[in-house]
Structure formats: structure tokens, C-alpha cells
């Protein structure tokens, strides 16, 4: 299946909206916490159990991105976006059936397994194409698209809340909400499928550097380098720290201020989720664009070092000041989003654009690990603290200290990143032949 080639005069600025239509849809995953309380009430689940569809979805995101990365490179972005559309929408439809019949395993299968495959393939579908269209500003280009994934919950959170209020929070109402999600996202994602194109040559704009400039490393060789595994640790630690708050955002802020004179209502908690999504989205375009100016290693120093400081402030002073809690959480989520948006450009700097989509897919196994680790740490500790008679902010103190330690580990791993040794580079004649073969024939 040949990817669609841009006709002469095609504007490269049409490609980010195509990517956004997919990423805004699959970014709904970040609004999962809105469904947690209704599912727990309707089906009698614990906090750890209600997190399972989300956790499995993130696991499948990483695995499908890792194993499907080479196929995405080979078949192009339109094929990948089509696969993402089918899987993601089908996941919601299966989940709707599970909610309607009160079979929770169907929700886990649909949203977590099938939908998670759509998440992974959809997530990496535009990355390589965007970097080739924008070789002069890779951080900004990937930031625009991946911004949509962070901002998806900004739309989905209030939308889902409104649907649950209209349909009800019993199993039938949840089923109807899942059904509407599946159908609407299928239509919206189809816009990206129809609009996406690949550049006609390796220099898509006059005066820009070649998309294949500098050292090039294959995906197979990249995973054998210490640089890949240092970045794997960096991404895993940064994601674990952010996802620990994001997955439990609504119940967390409610718990933190439950014993104060200003408790948080359900609607206000949903608003907090939306705020986190806005910070996540803003960080993806803002911080990743900044990385084009100050460098990838420097920006990750900010993500990991300042992120640890923000967690420390929440752990020690968060329950005494609602503005402090909210601001620190927003900063952490902006770093979380920025880390995702910057990593493709970091990979491009180290390994070139030759197979950057496939390398990116393999690196996202770090996200799979973090998708289990972050919610598990926060939910498991909170559940056990609750059983021990603790309440309020005491449910989260230990897990926040663990997050600080993980961010420090990520900071050290980032400091260890060095340029890739020349022995891993593709020899110039082979590179030229492969690059030529990757270019679609001009129509």
C-alpha cells in the first residue's frame, strides 16, 4: 500500500491538522478518570480495578507502537491512521456492550486491548511524516500533533461528564456514553485519513535542510545503543510521574481537600481534569518548541529536575493550599506532555530520520511500563492507606515521595546521553540507496 504523495504546491501546514484529528481523538484516554467513579459504583469495583482498562490501553499503546512501527514506516501514515480508526472506535463499541451487559471483562478487552492497539498505531502514525515535512523545526512539528493527544481530554472530559449526567451513571448510561464516543470519534478520525500526505522529496521546502541530513541509524541498531536505553529510562520516569496524577486526578483532588473547609465537588474535579489536559496540551507545543532553541538535553533537565521539586511541594504543602496543589500539578503535567512531544526530535537528533518512526515506536514500550507503574503505585498505596484508616492527603504521601525518586533516576539517565558512536551509522552508499527507495515515485 503506497502512501499518498503530496501534489506539487501542497502546503506542509495541512499535515499537522491531519495528525491532530487522530491525536485529539485518541487523547480521550486521558479523560478515563471521569469514568472511574461511575464504573466503581455501577459494577462494584475498587480504584485499582477501575484503572485496569486505562492501564491495559497504555500497555497496548506501547506494544503496538513497538511492533507496528516498522509497518507504519513501510505502509505510510494513511494506512496507520485507518488501522487506528478501526481499532479505537471498535474498542468503544465493545466496551459499550460490556457496560450494557455488566461484563467488566468486555470493557477491559474493548477499551484496553482493542482500543489500546488503536492508541499505539494512531500515536506514531504521523510522527515520521511530520519530521520529514519539517526538518527545520522537528520539535515544533511533533509538538503540534502530539499536543492533540494531550488535549484530547480537554474535549472528552466535559463531554463525557455531560453524557453521564444525561444518560445516567448506571451501567446503561455508561454503555450509551461509550457508544456515542465510538461513533463520533470514527467520523472525526476519518478527516485525518483523507487529508494526510507524504512529501515528494527529502527537501519539502526551499532553504530547509534535507530530512536525511546527518548520521542515520536503523531501528535494529538503535536498540543496541546505550543512548536508546538512557532515553527509555528518561521517558519511563517522566511518564510514570505524570500519569500517577493524571489517571487518578478527579478522586485525588477530592481526597486532598475532603477534610478542609473548601471540599471539591464532582463538577469541580472534572474541571481539574480538564485543566490538567490543557497544561498537558500546552506543554507539548510550548516545551517542545523551546527544545528547538535550547536543545533536547537541557529541556529534559527542566522536565525531570523541576518536576521533582513540584512533587516535593505537593507532598509537603499541597493540602494546605488549593492554588499551590493545582499550580504544581499543572506544571508536572506540562512537563509530562512536553516530554512526549520532545522525544521524537531527541531521537531524530541522535539517530536521524531514516527509521525514526520505528525507533519511536520501540521507545514507547517505556510508556507501557509507566502506564502500569504510575497508576499501580498511586492506586495500590492509596487503597492500602485507606484500609489502614488513613484519609485525605495521607493516602498519597508515600507515592509522591516514590515519584520524586523516579524523577531523579530519569535526570541521571538524561545526563548519560551522548552522541551515537559512528559504528552504528548506516554507510553513506547504503543510506542513499535506502532513502531513494523510501521516496514515492512522482506522479
Amino acid at each position: 500500500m503506497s502512501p499518498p504523495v503530496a501534489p506539487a504546491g501542497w502546503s506542509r501546514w495541512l499535515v499537522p491538522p491531519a495528525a491532530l484529528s487522530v491525536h485529539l481523538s485518541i487523547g480521550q484516554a486521558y479523560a478515563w478518570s471521569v469514568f472511574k467513579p461511575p464504573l466503581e459504583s455501577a459494577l462494584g469495583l475498587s480504584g485499582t480495578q477501575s484503572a485496569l482498562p486505562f492501564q491495559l490501553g497504555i500497555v497496548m499503546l506501547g506494544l503496538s507502537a513497538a511492533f507496528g512501527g516498522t509497518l507504519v514506516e513501510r505502509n505510510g501514515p494513511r494506512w496507520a491512521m485507518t488501522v487506528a480508526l478501526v481499532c479505537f472506535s471498535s474498542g468503544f463499541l465493545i466496551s459499550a456492550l460490556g457496560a450494557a451487559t455488566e461484563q467488566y471483562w468486555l470493557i477491559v478487552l474493548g477499551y484496553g486491548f482493542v482500543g489500546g492497539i488503536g492508541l499505539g498505531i494512531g500515536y506514531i502514525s504521523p510522527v515520521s511524516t511530520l519530521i520529514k515535512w519539517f526538518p527545520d523545526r522537528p520539535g515544533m512539528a511533533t509538538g503540534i500533533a502530539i499536543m492533540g493527544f494531550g488535549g484530547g481530554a480537554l474535549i472528552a472530559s466535559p463531554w463525557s461528564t455531560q453524557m453521564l449526567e444525561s444518560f445516567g451513571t448506571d451501567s446503561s448510561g455508561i454503555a450509551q456514553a461509550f457508544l456515542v464516543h465510538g461513533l463520533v470519534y470514527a467520523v472525526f478520525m476519518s478527516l485525518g485519513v483523507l487529508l494526510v500526505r507524504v512529501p515528494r522529496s527529502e527537501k519539502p521546502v526551499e532553504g530547509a535542510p534535507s530530512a536525511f541530513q546527518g548520521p542515520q541509524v536503523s531501528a535494529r541498531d538503535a536498540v543496541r545503543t546505550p543512548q536508546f536505553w538512557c532515553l527509555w529510562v528518561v521517558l519511563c520516569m517522566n511518564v510514570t510521574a505524570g500519569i500517577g496524577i493524571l489517571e487518578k486526578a478527579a478522586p485525588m483532588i477530592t481526597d486532598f481537600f475532603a477534610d478542609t473547609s473548601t471540599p471539591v465537588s464532582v463538577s469541580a474535579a472534572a474541571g481539574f481534569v480538564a485543566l490538567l489536559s490543557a497544561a498537558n496540551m500546552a506543554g507539548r507545543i510550548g516545551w517542545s518548541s523551546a527544545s528547538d532553541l535550547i536543545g533536547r538535553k537541557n529541556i529534559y533537565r527542566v522536565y525531570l529536575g523541576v518536576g521533582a521539586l513540584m512533587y516535593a511541594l505537593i507532598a509537603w504543602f499541597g493540602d494546605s493550599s488549593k492554588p499551590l496543589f493545582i499550580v504544581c500539578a499543572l506544571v508536572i503535567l506540562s512537563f509530562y506532555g512536553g516530554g512526549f512531544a520532545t522525544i521524537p526530535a531527541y531521537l531524530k537528533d541522535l539517530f536521524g530520520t531514516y527509521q525514526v518512526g520505528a525507533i519511536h515506536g520501540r521507545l514507547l514500550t517505556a510508556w507501557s511500563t509507566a502506564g502500569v507503574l504510575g497508576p499501580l503505585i498511586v492506586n495500590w498505596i492509596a487503597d492500602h492507606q485507606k484500609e489502614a484508616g488513613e484519609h485525605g492527603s495521607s493516602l498519597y504521601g508515600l507515592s509522591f515521595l516514590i515519584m520524586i525518586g523516579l524523577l531523579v533516576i530519569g535526570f541521571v539517565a538524561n545526563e548519560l546521553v551522548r552522541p551515537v558512536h559512528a559504528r552504528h551509522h548506516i554507510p553513506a552508499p547504503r543510506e542513499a540507496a535506502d532513502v531513494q527507495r523510501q521516496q514515492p515515485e512522482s506522479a
Side-chain angles (χ1 to χ4, degrees):
M1 180 179 180
S2 298
V5 183
W10 181 269
S11 173
R12 64 178 179 168
W13 292 102
L14 292 173
V15 181
L20 271 173
S21 72
V22 173
H23 275 239
L24 279 171
S25 299
I26 62 178
Q28 183 281 334
Y30 284 142
W32 177 253
S33 63
V34 173
F35 285 103
K36 280 171 65 69
L39 282 169
E40 289 168 17
S41 176
L43 302 180
L45 306 173
S46 68
T48 303
Q49 289 173 322
S50 66
L52 186 56
F54 175 82
Q55 288 176 289
L56 180 58
I58 298 302
V59 169
M60 293 309 300
L61 186 158
L63 294 178
S64 59
F67 289 106
T70 304
L71 287 175
V72 172
E73 290 279 354
R74 183 183 306 147
N75 296 326
R78 177 170 287 179
W79 173 88
M81 289 180 179
T82 302
V83 172
L85 184 161
V86 172
C87 291
F88 189 65
S89 296
S90 297
F92 269 113
L93 301 182
I94 295 169
S95 297
L97 178 62
T101 59
E102 298 188 4
Q103 298 293 316
Y104 186 57
W105 68 272
L106 277 175
I107 299 176
V108 176
L109 173 68
Y111 191 93
F113 184 80
V114 178
I117 294 173
L119 288 178
I121 299 300
Y123 189 87
I124 64 172
S125 62
V127 169
S128 177
T129 302
L130 282 165
I131 288 177
K132 289 169 185 173
W133 272 111
F134 293 86
D136 49 336
R137 286 179 280 183
M140 181 213 68
T142 55
I144 290 174
I146 294 176
M147 172 183 70
F149 194 89
L154 192 61
I155 299 169
S157 181
W159 183 40
S160 300
T161 301
Q162 183 59 50
M163 274 194 283
L164 289 170
E165 289 176 358
S166 300
F167 299 146
T169 56
D170 58 0
S171 57
S172 176
I174 296 170
Q176 291 180 67
F178 283 155
L179 177 63
V180 173
H181 276 74
L183 297 177
V184 172
Y185 283 135
V187 174
F188 194 62
M189 292 172 76
S190 67
L191 298 176
V193 173
L194 296 174
L195 193 60
V196 73
R197 299 287 188 279
V198 296
R200 297 171 67 87
S201 69
E202 64 180 78
K203 295 190 71 172
V205 290
E206 191 68 31
S210 166
F212 294 92
Q213 181 175 303
Q216 305 293 324
V217 181
S218 70
R220 182 179 179 182
D221 287 338
V223 297
R224 299 174 179 174
T225 65
Q227 288 83 356
F228 176 89
W229 293 106
C230 283
L231 288 188
W232 192 97
V233 172
V234 165
L235 184 63
C236 185
M237 299 301 101
N238 195 53
V239 172
T240 300
I243 216 167
I245 287 182
L246 193 58
E247 187 274 335
K248 202 174 174 65
M252 181 182 291
I253 192 170
T254 303
D255 289 336
F256 249 79
F257 299 98
D259 300 329
T260 69
S261 58
T262 55
V264 177
S265 66
V266 173
S267 59
F272 176 61
V273 174
L275 272 178
L276 291 179
S277 298
N280 190 349
M281 181 171 63
R284 290 172 188 244
I285 181 62
W287 294 120
S288 61
S289 296
S291 77
D292 287 334
L293 301 175
I294 69 173
R296 321 300 173 198
K297 178 176 280 194
N298 285 333
I299 205 72
Y300 273 96
R301 286 170 173 151
V302 174
Y303 298 157
L304 299 158
V306 179
L309 175 62
M310 294 297 102
Y311 252 116
L313 289 174
I314 293 178
W316 290 317
F317 307 110
D319 60 345
S320 62
S321 171
K322 196 177 292 182
L324 176 67
F325 177 91
I326 293 172
V327 168
C328 289
L330 292 177
V331 172
I332 290 170
L333 263 294
S334 78
F335 292 160
Y336 169 81
F340 276 122
T342 310
I343 206 70
Y346 209 162
L347 291 171
K348 177 258 182 189
D349 292 347
L350 291 170
F351 303 110
T353 57
Y354 170 57
Q355 289 188 331
V356 68
I359 297 170
H360 184 223
R362 287 160 171 76
L363 192 76
L364 289 182
T365 53
W367 191 357
S368 297
T369 303
V372 173
L373 198 58
L376 183 63
I377 290 171
V378 174
N379 283 293
W380 186 83
I381 291 176
D383 286 346
H384 279 262
Q385 293 289 77
K386 191 175 293 184
E387 290 173 4
E390 299 289 346
H391 54 85
S393 60
S394 299
L395 299 175
Y396 304 98
L398 177 58
S399 59
F400 284 5
L401 292 177
I402 292 172
M403 296 301 179
I404 294 170
L406 295 178
L407 286 168
V408 170
I409 292 171
F411 189 94
V412 172
N414 183 54
E415 293 303 305
L416 296 176
V417 174
R418 299 288 186 273
V420 177
H421 194 279
R423 70 174 177 272
H424 297 291
H425 297 173
I426 297 171
R430 176 184 158 197
E431 175 192 327
D434 283 351
V435 167
Q436 184 63 38
R437 190 166 58 252
Q438 282 191 353
Q439 300 307 311
E441 294 181 4
S442 299

